[in-house]
């Protein structure tokens, strides 16, 4: 079974600075999908960024970018020019390209999350 | 357009009572997932619906949990004879398809269930 590990339960960053959140995963598959979700206190999980394992180019979305190291099974999230609104829980998630069971589920496997605080 | 909606936002119940949690997916999304988020356990998959196919119930923690999806749209998660360990945030997500580039899951705001 796949596992996702986020080794930093909490992180803090000064406003306007850059912070990197770590994520590692364990899988025997060669093609898969990786995601970073943000969960503010409102509880709404918001997709931040998505990466397909077959793509060598790191995904970017405005101030958010990833460092995808396939061989090392590492998928870190870099937030540049941090803003107060970036304060939230961040979850790394993995999705297999194949269904987990006969019924064909493609559920996400999540890490435990990293709580990011932004200091004004 | 409208996102995934869930109701109620919060639910407090007494141990032993039954509860129903509702999820309205994004219109046109064929895949629907339920997850549970509890302290110390992170996010756990519960059940998956895809179109009119039989659901994947492999994540349901006990037979007290059940879910249905009517007309391929709205889904209801039912917990019978609630226990204190059922206290958690229940999240619903939907995706346009289950695979490919349109498989991104979009989440609702969740229902916080508290069992006294």
């Amino acid at each position: 079974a796949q596992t996702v590990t986020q080794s930093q339960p909490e992180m803090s960053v000064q406003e306007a600075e850059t912070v990197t959140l770590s994520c590692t995963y364990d899988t025997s598959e060669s093609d898969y999908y990786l995601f970073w979700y943000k969960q503010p206190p409102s509880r709404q999980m918001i997709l931040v960024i998505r990466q397909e394992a077959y793509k060598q180019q790191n995904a970017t979305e405005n101030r958010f970018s990833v460092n995808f190291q396939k061989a090392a099974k590492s998928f870190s999230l870099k937030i540049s020019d941090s803003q107060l609104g970036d304060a939230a829980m961040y979850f790394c998630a993995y999705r297999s390209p194949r269904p987990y069971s006969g019924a064909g589920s493609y559920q996400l496997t999540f890490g435990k999350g990293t709580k990011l605080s932004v200091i004004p | 357009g409208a996102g995934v909606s869930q109701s109620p936002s919060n639910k407090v119940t007494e141990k032993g009572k039954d509860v129903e949690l509702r999820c309205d997916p994004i219109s046109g999304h064929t895949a629907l997932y339920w997850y549970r988020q509890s302290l110390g356990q992170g996010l756990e998959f519960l059940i998956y619906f895809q179109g009119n196919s039989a659901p994947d119930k492999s994540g349901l923690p006990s037979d007290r949990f059940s879910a249905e999806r009517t007309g391929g749209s709205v889904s209801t998660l039912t917990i019978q004879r609630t226990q204190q360990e059922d206290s958690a945030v229940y999240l619903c997500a939907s995706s346009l398809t289950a695979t490919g580039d349109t498989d991104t899951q979009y989440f609702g705001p969740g229902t916080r269930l508290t069992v006294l």
Side-chain angles (χ1 to χ4, degrees), chain A residues 24-115:
Chain A
T24 58
Y25 55 93
D26 184 28
T27 183
S28 58
E29 296 173 318
S30 58
D31 286 326
Y32 44 87
Y33 304 88
L34 297 166
F35 305 84
W36 279 99
Y37 280 90
K38 168 186 176 181
Q39 187 180 41
S42 66
R43 292 200 310 251
Q44 182 98 40
M45 294 278 280
I46 302 164
L47 177 69
V48 175
I49 205 163
R50 167 198 171 109
Q51 175 83 42
E52 291 83 3
Y54 62 85
K55 292 184 179 178
Q56 294 186 341
Q57 188 172 8
N58 288 326
T60 62
E61 285 290 341
N62 300 314
R63 297 182 295 106
F64 299 86
S65 62
V66 298
N67 183 5
F68 173 48
Q69 301 288 330
K70 191 173 183 180
K73 297 179 183 176
S74 171
F75 183 61
S76 60
L77 174 70
K78 185 172 83 170
I79 306 174
S80 303
D81 185 25
S82 296
Q83 301 175 0
L84 295 178
D86 295 335
M89 283 290 290
Y90 285 81
F91 292 92
C92 178
Y94 172 102
R95 188 182 82 73
S96 171
R98 282 173 291 281
Y100 283 101
S101 66
S105 177
Y106 293 89
Q107 74 264 29
L108 296 170
T109 299
F110 288 90
K112 296 289 188 185
T114 297
K115 183 177 181 180

Side-chain angles (χ1 to χ4, degrees), chain B residues 37-85:
Chain B
Q37 185 177 22
S38 50
L39 287 174
Q41 296 295 323
L43 279 138
E44 305 169 279
F45 163 75
L46 295 178
I47 189 168
Y48 159 81
F49 296 90
Q50 171 59 46
N52 295 318
S53 302
D56 176 1
K57 304 178 183 180
S58 61
L60 295 178
S62 78
D63 58 8
R64 296 186 295 105
F65 288 72
S66 63
E68 62 178 18
R69 188 180 185 190
T70 54
S73 181
V74 172
S75 176
T76 302
L77 177 68
T78 301
I79 308 173
Q80 296 178 310
R81 305 181 302 281
T82 51
Q83 303 294 311
Q84 288 183 332
E85 61 262 29

